Amino acid sequence: MNLRTSMLTAVSAAIVLAGTASVLAQQSTNPETTQKLAKALAGRTAGHPVNCINERSKMQIIDDGTILFRDGGIVYVQQPRGGCYGLTTGMSLIRPAYGTTRLCSGDINNIVDVRTGFGAGACVYSEFVPYRKTG
C-alpha cells in the first residue's frame, strides 16, 4: 500500500468515525453552505466510504468542494480531490461517456459553462461517504 492510499484510507476512516460533525467542520465558514449540508444530513449517520454509486443518483451541489448524491434513502457525500471550482457559479459537471452506469472514485468530470459550452477545468471524485437515517 503506498503512502497516498494509506493517507486516503486514514482520512476516510476519520470521516466515518466523526460522522456529520467532521463533514461540517471541513466546510467553509459560509453559514449558508453549512446550513444546507446540515439540513441534508440531519438525522443521518455516516457509513464506510464506498468506491462507486449508481449513476442515476440525484446530484445536489453544496459548494465547490462538496456534492451530494441521493439514491433511495441514502445520501452520499462526495468531496472531490482538490474541489470542483466553478460549480457554485453556474458551471456544470459533464462526465465523459465511459459505458458504465456507475460513478466511481477516480472518475474525471469536466467542468463546463453550460451557457457557452466552454470547459473550465476538471475534477476527480474521491470515495463516496453514505449517510443513512438513524433509528
Side-chain angles (χ1 to χ4, degrees), residues 4 6 8 72 81 88 105 110 112:
R4 182 177 173 167
S6 297
L8 286 173
R81 299 172 192 162
T88 57
S105 175
N110 296 314
V112 176

Side-chain angles (χ1 to χ4, degrees), residues 10 42 49 69 93 102-103 113:
F69 291 91
L93 285 177
R102 299 167 54 102
L103 301 175
D113 183 334

Side-chain angles (χ1 to χ4, degrees), residues 14-130:
I15 290 172
V16 170
L17 293 174
T20 305
S22 176
V23 174
L24 291 172
Q26 293 176 17
Q27 298 308 302
S28 67
T29 56
N30 181 334
E32 183 180 329
T33 298
T34 302
Q35 185 178 27
K36 283 195 317 190
L37 187 59
K39 183 178 177 181
L41 300 179
R44 297 177 183 276
T45 302
H48 293 283
V50 297
N51 284 321
C52 298
I53 64 170
N54 186 340
E55 180 183 43
R56 296 179 190 233
S57 300
K58 183 179 176 186
M59 182 171 56
Q60 176 187 359
I61 305 298
I62 297 297
D63 63 16
D64 287 340
T66 307
I67 305 167
L68 302 183
F69 291 91
R70 297 177 186 276
D71 188 11
I74 303 171
V75 176
Y76 294 93
V77 175
Q78 174 53 234
Q79 294 181 306
R81 299 172 192 162
C84 282
Y85 296 98
L87 295 181
T88 57
T89 61
M91 301 287 181
S92 186
L93 285 177
I94 306 295
R95 182 174 170 227
Y98 291 126
T100 181
T101 59
R102 299 167 54 102
L103 301 175
C104 295
S105 175
D107 282 356
I108 299 170
N109 300 275
N110 296 314
I111 303 169
V112 176
D113 183 334
V114 293
R115 297 167 297 211
T116 65
F118 288 112
C123 60
V124 180
Y125 284 153
S126 62
E127 289 183 310
F128 298 82
V129 180

